[in-house]
Amino acid sequence: MTRPARARINLQALQHNFSRVQQAAPHSKIMAIIKANAYGHGLVRVAQALPDADAFGVACVDEAISLREAGFDRRIVLLEGLFTAEDVGLVNGYQLDVVIHHESQLALLEQGSLLRPLDVWVKLDTGMHRLGFSPGSVNAVTARLRDIPQLANIRYMSHFPCADDLDNSSTPSQRQVFLDAVATTAGEQTLANSAAILGWPDTHLDWVRPGIMLYGGSPLAGRSAASLDLQPVMTLGTRLIAVNARRAGDAIGYGGDWVCPADRLIGVAAIGYGDGYPRHAPSGTTVLVNGKTAALAGRVSMDMICIDLSDHANANVGDEVILWGEGLPVDEVAAAAGSISYELLCGVGSRVQLEYI
Ligand SMILES: *Cc1c(COP(=O)(O)O)cnc(C)c1O
């Protein structure tokens, strides 16, 4: 048996989730966010499965080039924009859109010589205090962009830090700050990530930017993905490589801090933090063995986890173990590990085979 850890990617579920975006934001264009290898799902395969996306959002030039080399001629937006002077030539050569969020990027564009038209998305900081120009500088930034030869369309964007919390008033305030800032400027506008697509309809504007909801993670705090009609796209699985009878008092795994409370059957599954299963998942975290729940026992190792098979008397070497996905929401596993679905999904390691169905 070759290493059994694999992630099954259900492209129909991806398409279903995309249709949820269309349903929630019927008047907006859709920029599908596929940075970080499409949140771990495979950049090119995910892009190919989204023929109705109006644009793709990626984090860096390399991701964009992979798409162009795979034959995509749709709009691609570099969400963090240019990093170096060399990027100016690349974005122009590969016909990529860039986000501009900082004076240094404006300077790169002013100094570089564009040979072909370039579209830019000006990012405003409306309260996240991470990236973006101050809302008051919109007219000055726009005027400088207009002076750059070959600079074509200018669009405006901002990002929400708290849209997952439907009681948080910072989202409507940020929206207002944004709308005031761009009130006298022509150009398309975009604010909404997945949480805002589902939770804050008046932020949809010209473009929406779904990420996690495409992959079936819940973007809203306290709401399950199923209750939002989102389907899991990735199912991470592996197999048992050992099943052993242990005695009451036996300590399991590194540190020995999980001790069998009684005689127990303990399974060992071939997956660990080296594959992206979170090391901070504590004993008791749910896994599925042959489709039925079981609990992690002891610390996660690099290549293995141990599982308490109390209710699985017939479990055998070779049986299927599911870590998250169909039947076990990634959000639940993430919560148990003190993390978020985003981190678990994009952390799936390169030695895990991706299989598309
Ligand atoms: C990653 C990202 C998104 C997508 O966010 P989700 O919460 O995954 O929907 C949208 N916009 C920008 C600028 C991003 O960087």
Side-chain angles (χ1 to χ4, degrees):
M1 177 160 75
T2 56
R3 189 168 173 76
R6 56 193 74 246
R8 204 174 63 232
I9 308 295
N10 182 338
L11 296 173
Q12 268 174 13
L14 178 76
Q15 286 160 353
H16 167 84
N17 297 336
F18 185 86
S19 75
R20 287 284 294 125
V21 178
Q22 293 174 309
Q23 204 177 57
H27 307 298
S28 304
K29 286 182 264 192
I30 299 175
M31 184 195 304
I33 304 297
I34 56 173
K35 62 198 180 193
N37 198 27
Y39 291 46
H41 295 67
L43 182 76
V44 169
R45 293 299 297 267
V46 165
Q48 281 167 343
L50 297 175
D52 294 331
D54 300 284
F56 295 113
V58 298
C60 57
V61 174
D62 313 70
E63 292 174 331
I65 292 177
S66 305
L67 292 173
R68 285 284 181 258
E69 287 180 346
F72 286 92
D73 56 7
R74 258 172 287 168
R75 185 178 297 283
I76 300 176
V77 183
L78 295 185
L79 295 172
E80 293 165 28
L82 305 156
F83 298 156
T84 62
E86 192 197 350
D87 286 351
V88 179
L90 288 171
V91 300
N92 217 211
Y94 285 97
Q95 293 281 280
L96 310 174
D97 286 18
V98 288
V99 168
I100 300 271
H101 59 75
H102 195 267
E103 169 63 33
S104 60
Q105 296 180 321
L106 200 46
L108 283 176
L109 285 183
E110 286 172 333
Q111 289 150 18
S113 39
L114 298 175
L115 301 174
R116 293 202 258 169
L118 175 76
D119 281 11
V120 303
W121 303 62
V122 175
K123 185 161 189 171
L124 303 180
D125 176 14
T126 53
M128 185 156 181
H129 302 137
R130 189 179 61 176
L131 294 182
F133 292 99
S134 71
S137 63
V138 170
N139 290 332
V141 170
T142 303
R144 281 175 64 184
L145 287 169
R146 290 264 168 256
D147 277 346
I148 299 174
Q150 297 282 20
L151 203 122
N153 296 301
I154 304 177
R155 299 181 175 83
Y156 297 88
M157 65 185 288
S158 189
H159 196 51
F160 293 128
C162 303
D164 58 317
D165 174 3
L166 297 181
D167 297 323
N168 194 313
S169 62
S170 72
T171 301
S173 332
Q174 279 186 271
R175 170 183 170 276
Q176 200 54 52
V177 167
F178 179 81
L179 293 177
D180 290 346
V182 297
T184 59
T185 329
E188 290 182 328
Q189 304 167 352
T190 171
L191 289 174
N193 56 2
S194 298
I197 290 166
L198 293 177
W200 302 92
D202 64 358
T203 65
H204 292 170
L205 307 178
D206 299 301
W207 288 82
V208 293
R209 309 191 307 264
I212 194 68
M213 71 180 288
L214 294 175
Y215 309 102
S218 170
L220 296 177
R223 293 288 304 271
S224 71
S227 77
L228 298 166
D229 189 20
L230 298 172
Q231 298 176 2
V233 177
M234 177 193 293
T235 297
L236 181 66
T238 188
R239 294 191 182 276
L240 292 177
I241 58 167
V243 175
N244 296 305
R246 301 295 179 198
R247 309 304 303 262
D250 283 353
I252 306 295
Y254 284 115
D257 47 26
W258 192 84
V259 176
C260 291
D263 292 357
R264 285 287 159 89
L265 201 58
I266 301 293
V268 181
I271 197 151
Y273 61 79
D275 303 292
Y277 188 79
R279 204 185 74 88
H280 294 290
S283 293
T285 300
T286 302
V287 301
L288 301 179
V289 177
N290 295 323
K292 258 177 49 184
T293 62
L296 204 62
R299 291 189 198 165
V300 173
S301 305
M302 185 183 291
D303 313 303
M304 287 174 268
I305 56 173
C306 295
I307 301 169
D308 179 354
L309 294 174
S310 297
D311 302 324
H312 297 75
N314 299 322
N316 277 313
V317 169
D319 286 357
E320 184 182 56
V321 179
I322 300 292
L323 292 314
W324 63 66
E326 274 170 47
L328 179 54
V330 64
D331 293 300
E332 280 179 27
V333 181
S339 185
I340 54 175
S341 62
Y342 301 71
E343 186 183 25
L344 268 52
L345 294 173
C346 79
V348 168
S350 53
R351 70 181 181 184
V352 175
Q353 187 96 25
L354 299 181
E355 289 177 353
Y356 293 87
I357 59 166

